[in-house]
Amino acid sequence: MKPSLIQKYNVPGPRYTSYPTVPYWEENDFTYEVWISSFRKSFAESNSDQGISLYIHLPFCESMCTFCGCHKRITKNHGVEHPYILAVLKEWSLYCKMMTTTPIIKELHLGGGTPTFFSVKNLEDLINGIFSYANKAENCDMSFEGHPNNTTREHLQKLYDLGFRRVSYGVQDYSEKVQKAINREQSFHNVAKVTFQAREIGYTSIGHDIIFGLPFQELQDVVDTIEKTKALQPDRIAFYSYAHVPWIKGNGQRGFKDEDVPKDAEKRMLYEVGKTILLENDYHEIGMDHFALQTDNLHKAAQNKTLHRNFMGYSASKTQLMVGLGVSSISDSWYGFAQNTKDLEDYYQLLEWDKIPVVKGHLLTPEDLKIRKHILNLMCQFETSWENESDYVNEFPEIIEGLHEMINDNLVTIEGKKIIVTEKGKPFVRNICMAFDLRLKRKMPKKKVFSMTI
Ligand SMILES: C[S@@+](CC[C@H](N)C(=O)[O-])C[C@H]1O[C@@H](n2cnc3c(N)ncnc32)[C@H](O)[C@@H]1O
Ligand code: SF4
């Protein structure tokens, strides 16, 4: 990739796990009652034929990785587990009270923080508690994020027995100097052990998360990490761009200096080389940042054009309604988003008052719904079209104007009423989506809120 292209397009931009992106939510129009009615409507429309998705945020970690952008609370006190599980189940029961039929769970993901911080018994109580009010859909996709340092065989076996078939492990990078800088010491031996154990038990999709652009990371570190990863043959690999957003996460990310973080062409080279190795070794590029073996259902979904993207990242099927439980979780009714409080004490307090702990959100306008669809198409299919009249927005001439430079640079092409991202354009898909982001165009953020696109 030409350095001049990187210079031109490396700007702050959203990762588009939602549209509108969180900084553009119109919080003034959002109320608790509005969210509840949006939730009820979406549930009534979609539960019986699609089922619903459930995301459960488990925020605790034993130690702080200094690169981490996730919402977490660091503690070594495992006494926090039980009250938290009870609170999540209370939240779920409040949602269930508003449902007219038994919910059918199509997709369930435990994210964090570190789900494997919790004991096997507490996780079992959590899952059994959820399903005491719900039915499991056929082919329900149940997954969790496991930390290689504290995922035990017992965790893997119990979660498998409860229906989990997919696990993703945080690997990041194997080099000692990088691990030291990010305060995450973790051996290849541990990762290999938990990978083999999951496979032995019968998990059908094992994922590894790797990051490029970490502090002090050099090309050889990425090559070495990918070589080691490939030796373990995970079904999926998330190859994330390090999101350096110290202004949001405060001191946690300031364990190293800005100058220690690879940037621009140097950072992009880490990706290009890593991607080349993956493509040469049977991994297929799926959407943004994701690779999968042909046998993984994410690859099949990409082929069948059923790939979807939500706050959990990419998923193989789409549900209209996603309920996010736990501190900081975001729910999506398709017509609206709602985010729970990020403050653990407030989370407990609101639940004690029998309130679903949502504190902010956004209701999508008819224009938002159309733009959201185009952005999802681009992120998941690398193309979108307005062949259906209902997909047309009046601002299309303006959007196409915004794509002009990218068309000249051969990153996108327009064929009739279709926009197609070229092979060369795939690394710039966030920039291409930004041309569709009418809210961003109308008002650029006043302060730094997004990481760089490249
Ligand atoms: C919640 S963590 C994974 C589970 C577990 N806590 C662990 O660390 O193994 C989810 C993933 O998000 C990714 N991640 C976290 N912070 C990031 C950042 N600033 N930039 C890019 N990826 C990040 C990491 O790859 C991480 O494995
Ligand atoms: S990377 Fe995982 S273990 Fe580390 S702080 Fe973030 S959520 Fe916790």
Side-chain angles (χ1 to χ4, degrees):
M1 188 191 295
K2 280 198 196 147
S4 57
L5 279 184
I6 297 173
Q7 266 169 7
K8 191 163 165 186
Y9 294 111
N10 195 16
V11 294
R15 298 176 63 82
Y16 293 111
T17 47
S18 75
Y19 182 82
T21 54
V22 179
Y24 286 91
W25 286 3
E26 304 234 355
E27 290 177 43
N28 293 342
D29 301 337
F30 179 86
T31 61
Y32 187 82
E33 290 68 32
V34 155
W35 168 244
I36 300 301
S37 71
S38 167
F39 164 80
R40 284 182 198 270
K41 173 175 153 81
S42 191
F43 181 81
E45 281 174 1
S46 63
N47 182 52
S48 59
D49 49 292
Q50 294 176 9
I52 67 167
S53 297
L54 208 57
Y55 170 77
I56 306 177
H57 193 75
L58 299 170
F60 305 111
C61 304
E62 284 210 353
S63 66
M64 164 79 95
C65 311
T66 56
F67 72 94
C68 179
C70 305
H71 183 79
K72 71 262 171 205
R73 187 174 275 208
I74 309 299
T75 178
K76 288 198 163 44
N77 169 18
H78 284 259
V80 295
E81 292 182 29
H82 188 62
Y84 190 78
I85 298 291
L86 291 182
V88 170
L89 289 176
K90 167 89 184 263
E91 188 185 359
W92 177 232
S93 75
L94 293 176
Y95 271 110
C96 290
K97 275 187 198 149
M98 295 188 297
M99 298 171 183
T100 42
T101 49
T102 310
I104 302 164
I105 298 181
K106 180 78 201 336
E107 194 181 26
L108 187 153
H109 182 71
L110 305 181
T114 302
T116 46
F117 172 97
F118 285 74
S119 71
V120 174
K121 170 80 174 67
N122 280 327
L123 291 176
E124 182 180 18
D125 289 348
L126 172 68
I127 301 304
N128 286 337
I130 295 287
F131 282 107
S132 66
Y133 294 104
N135 292 331
K136 203 183 277 180
E138 211 182 310
N139 299 326
C140 175
D141 180 4
M142 293 172 69
S143 57
F144 70 97
E145 290 165 17
H147 194 312
N149 287 1
N150 63 14
T151 302
T152 62
R153 180 178 266 281
E154 290 70 35
H155 277 118
L156 288 165
Q157 186 63 58
K158 178 54 75 185
L159 290 169
Y160 182 86
D161 295 342
L162 290 165
F164 287 78
R165 294 292 178 269
R166 193 152 66 76
V167 53
S168 61
Y169 293 122
V171 171
Q172 330 311 351
D173 185 286
Y174 284 114
S175 129
E176 238 174 77
K177 65 175 182 299
V178 175
Q179 290 196 359
K180 206 157 167 248
I182 62 174
N183 191 36
R184 186 183 171 104
E185 289 186 26
Q186 156 185 297
S187 66
F188 175 70
H189 173 80
N190 267 357
V191 180
K193 185 180 79 185
V194 291
T195 301
F196 292 139
Q197 284 177 341
R199 199 165 285 141
E200 236 171 67
I201 289 172
Y203 283 79
T204 49
S205 179
I206 300 166
H208 285 191
D209 300 341
I210 300 174
I211 303 185
F212 66 94
L214 286 167
F216 302 111
Q217 196 181 38
E218 291 170 272
L219 190 54
Q220 193 48 44
D221 300 320
V222 171
V223 171
D224 184 54
T225 297
I226 300 231
E227 291 292 337
K228 287 192 162 102
T229 302
K230 148 192 144 200
L232 299 177
Q233 285 282 292
D235 304 271
R236 293 183 190 183
I237 296 174
F239 190 29
Y240 292 123
S241 164
Y242 168 49
H244 187 52
V245 286
W247 57 91
I248 291 183
K249 293 291 162 185
N251 290 335
Q253 285 199 339
R254 292 191 197 272
F256 43 84
K257 296 196 268 331
D258 282 0
E259 311 84 89
D260 303 328
V261 177
K263 277 175 215 70
D264 302 328
E266 190 193 346
K267 180 177 183 187
R268 197 65 210 171
M269 180 62 86
L270 302 178
Y271 179 74
E272 294 290 324
V273 171
K275 172 179 160 174
T276 307
I277 306 177
L278 291 174
L279 295 181
E280 283 168 359
N281 284 279
D282 300 333
Y283 286 95
H284 297 259
E285 191 177 18
I286 315 282
M288 189 181 78
D289 304 338
H290 282 69
F291 295 83
L293 293 175
Q294 207 164 358
T295 42
D296 192 84
N297 73 352
L298 209 58
H299 178 259
K300 293 178 191 153
Q303 296 286 299
N304 304 336
K305 302 201 173 206
T306 56
L307 195 66
H308 184 56
R309 185 169 169 83
N310 55 27
F311 289 103
M312 298 191 256
Y314 283 104
S315 76
S317 60
K318 182 187 159 201
T319 54
Q320 178 172 306
L321 175 64
M322 185 176 88
V323 177
L325 303 178
V327 67
S328 81
S329 283
I330 297 178
S331 298
D332 174 1
S333 69
W334 195 253
Y335 305 109
F337 298 118
Q339 181 165 33
N340 281 352
T341 173
K342 291 182 175 175
D343 183 287
L344 195 56
E345 285 66 37
D346 288 352
Y347 178 71
Y348 289 135
Q349 184 61 74
L350 287 164
L351 286 166
E352 216 171 290
W353 291 335
D354 287 341
K355 285 265 180 216
I356 289 173
V358 296
V359 289
K360 67 177 202 173
H362 175 85
L363 278 188
L364 280 86
T365 63
E367 179 195 278
D368 288 338
L369 285 165
K370 288 187 189 185
I371 295 293
R372 174 189 197 174
K373 191 170 167 195
H374 289 297
I375 289 185
L376 266 176
N377 289 343
L378 289 165
M379 295 297 278
C380 298
Q381 264 76 259
F382 290 121
E383 61 179 45
T384 194
S385 86
W386 58 103
E387 273 149 6
N388 268 338
E389 207 153 300
S390 58
D391 294 329
Y392 186 79
V393 279
N394 293 335
E395 288 74 5
F396 254 115
E398 195 187 309
I399 291 172
I400 300 207
E401 178 59 37
L403 288 170
H404 200 70
E405 280 292 306
M406 291 185 253
I407 295 170
N408 284 345
D409 287 327
N410 193 23
L411 307 183
V412 269
T413 56
I414 301 192
E415 289 173 16
K417 293 179 176 175
K418 209 173 194 185
I419 290 174
I420 302 164
V421 181
T422 63
E423 223 17 69
K424 191 175 162 197
K426 284 184 178 177
F428 300 96
V429 66
R430 281 165 76 181
N431 302 74
I432 296 164
C433 290
M434 282 165 76
F436 284 76
D437 188 338
L438 295 177
R439 286 186 178 267
L440 182 76
K441 282 185 168 179
R442 287 176 192 138
K443 198 172 88 187
M444 289 306 271
K446 286 201 191 79
K447 51 179 188 166
K448 277 182 164 183
V449 283
F450 299 122
S451 58
M452 302 300 273
T453 51
I454 310 288

